């Protein structure tokens, strides 16, 4: 609270130049009403909406005035254009891939590849190929996660652009409970999970007949097949 008061007090003490470069050039005190409204509106935008801003005591008279300030400063549909903070989302790619059945697919095929490369009946050439396939399966797993992360962020940026917003986006690896929950970021995350193309197909996850992993099997794109094609 003390820091906020100090910052607003400093802003109130500033001056502005009127009629710069003209015979009527002069200075006036800053328009503190505008400053205060701007600050309050930007804070609401940073939190996602005015209801989240006022969640502590939404029915108070103070909350009513703050709500009026925000709604008078900007139309509700344009509130997020006042945001000054980047959009921060928790992204656990392994967790997403687990939900999609992809981690299980990789784990199963990686285990099979390791078992195959340990087969003593393989010729030297066959053993070398088995080793290469096993290593490639693990490389693909890492590459898929990195590619999905980039595609996820691109999907978020595309949605923000569609809404006319120019906001920085950050994917945070910290646990989800380390971030403050916001309806806005939760909505973006769910949209991204639904629409982000998978690196294996270049298309959004297919849930029509089972999990996305099932759709990869049907398309002939499990890890072993992709590894074999890559070496």
């Amino acid at each position: 609270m003390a820091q906020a008061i100090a910052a607003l007090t400093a802003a109130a003490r500033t001056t502005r130049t009127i009629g710069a470069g003209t015979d009527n050039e002069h200075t006036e005190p800053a328009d503190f009403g505008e400053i205060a409204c701007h600050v309050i509106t930007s804070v609401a935008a940073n939190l996602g909406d005015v209801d989240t801003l006022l969640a502590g005591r939404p029915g108070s008279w103070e909350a009513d005035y703050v709500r009026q300030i925000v709604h008078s400063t900007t139309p509700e549909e344009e509130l997020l254009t006042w945001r000054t903070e980047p959009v921060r989302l928790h992204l656990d790619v392994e967790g997403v891939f687990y939900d999609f059945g992809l981690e299980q697919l990789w784990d199963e095929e990686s285990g099979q590849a390791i078992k195959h490369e340990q087969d003593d009946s393989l010729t030297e050439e066959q053993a070398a190929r088995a080793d290469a396939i096993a290593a490639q399966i693990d490389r693909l797993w890492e590459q898929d996660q990195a590619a999905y992360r980039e595609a996820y962020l691109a999907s978020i940026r595309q949605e923000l652009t569609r809404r006319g917003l120019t906001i920085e986006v950050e994917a945070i690896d910290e646990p989800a409970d380390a971030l403050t929950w916001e309806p806005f970021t939760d909505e973006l995350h769910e949209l991204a999970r639904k629409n982000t193309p998978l690196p294996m197909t270049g298309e959004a996850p297919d849930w029509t007949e089972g999990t996305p992993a099932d759709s990869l099997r049907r398309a002939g794109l499990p890890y072993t097949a992709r590894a074999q094609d890559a070496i």
Side-chain angles (χ1 to χ4, degrees):
M1 179 70 78
Q3 290 179 332
I5 292 172
L8 288 172
T9 300
R13 287 178 173 145
T14 61
T15 59
R16 54 181 177 163
T17 300
I18 305 298
T22 70
D23 294 339
N24 194 37
E25 179 176 333
H26 62 283
T27 59
E28 291 182 355
D31 182 350
F32 185 75
E34 179 184 21
I35 293 172
C37 289
H38 191 131
V39 169
I40 291 172
T41 302
S42 289
V43 172
N46 287 341
L47 293 180
D49 56 49
V50 70
D51 290 334
T52 303
L53 173 66
L54 301 174
R57 198 155 61 96
S60 68
W61 66 266
E62 297 98 331
D64 185 53
Y65 277 116
V66 169
R67 192 176 289 107
Q68 289 181 49
I69 286 173
V70 174
H71 289 165
S72 297
T73 302
T74 184
E76 184 175 358
E77 64 273 15
E78 296 179 11
L79 174 62
L80 292 176
T81 63
W82 292 71
R83 188 177 180 114
T84 60
E85 290 185 345
V87 173
R88 296 185 178 91
L89 302 107
H90 169 68
L91 177 59
D92 175 9
V93 177
E94 282 198 28
V96 173
F97 277 17
Y98 179 86
D99 293 341
F100 290 173
L102 300 175
E103 183 176 5
Q104 299 89 319
L105 177 65
W106 162 76
D107 188 56
E108 175 186 332
E109 296 197 29
S110 178
Q112 291 172 350
I114 292 172
K115 183 177 180 180
H116 181 58
E117 69 178 337
Q118 294 172 345
D119 186 345
D120 293 336
S121 67
L122 297 178
T123 65
E124 184 175 339
E125 181 179 348
Q126 290 171 333
R129 179 171 173 78
D131 289 344
I133 289 174
Q136 182 63 23
I137 287 174
D138 288 342
R139 276 195 295 272
L140 287 171
W141 170 247
E142 297 299 329
Q143 291 169 6
D144 286 346
Q145 291 182 76
Y148 182 84
R149 184 184 185 87
E150 291 304 313
Y152 173 94
L153 291 172
S155 180
I156 295 288
R157 294 187 183 104
Q158 183 178 15
E159 176 61 21
L160 292 173
T161 299
R162 188 188 69 80
R163 300 185 186 194
L165 303 174
T166 53
I167 306 173
E168 290 296 317
V169 182
E170 298 176 1
I172 307 298
D173 295 324
E174 299 172 7
D177 57 9
L179 297 176
T180 302
W181 181 84
E182 300 176 27
F184 173 59
T185 54
D186 187 59
E187 177 190 359
L188 289 176
H189 176 67
E190 291 305 317
L191 284 171
R193 275 179 59 104
K194 178 181 178 181
N195 298 321
T196 298
L198 295 178
M200 311 82 167
T201 62
E203 299 177 356
D206 181 0
W207 293 90
T208 54
E209 297 182 51
T211 66
D214 294 326
S215 71
L216 291 182
R217 292 187 181 95
R218 291 193 301 272
L221 292 172
Y223 277 95
T224 301
R226 292 169 61 209
Q228 290 170 339
D229 289 342
I231 61 174

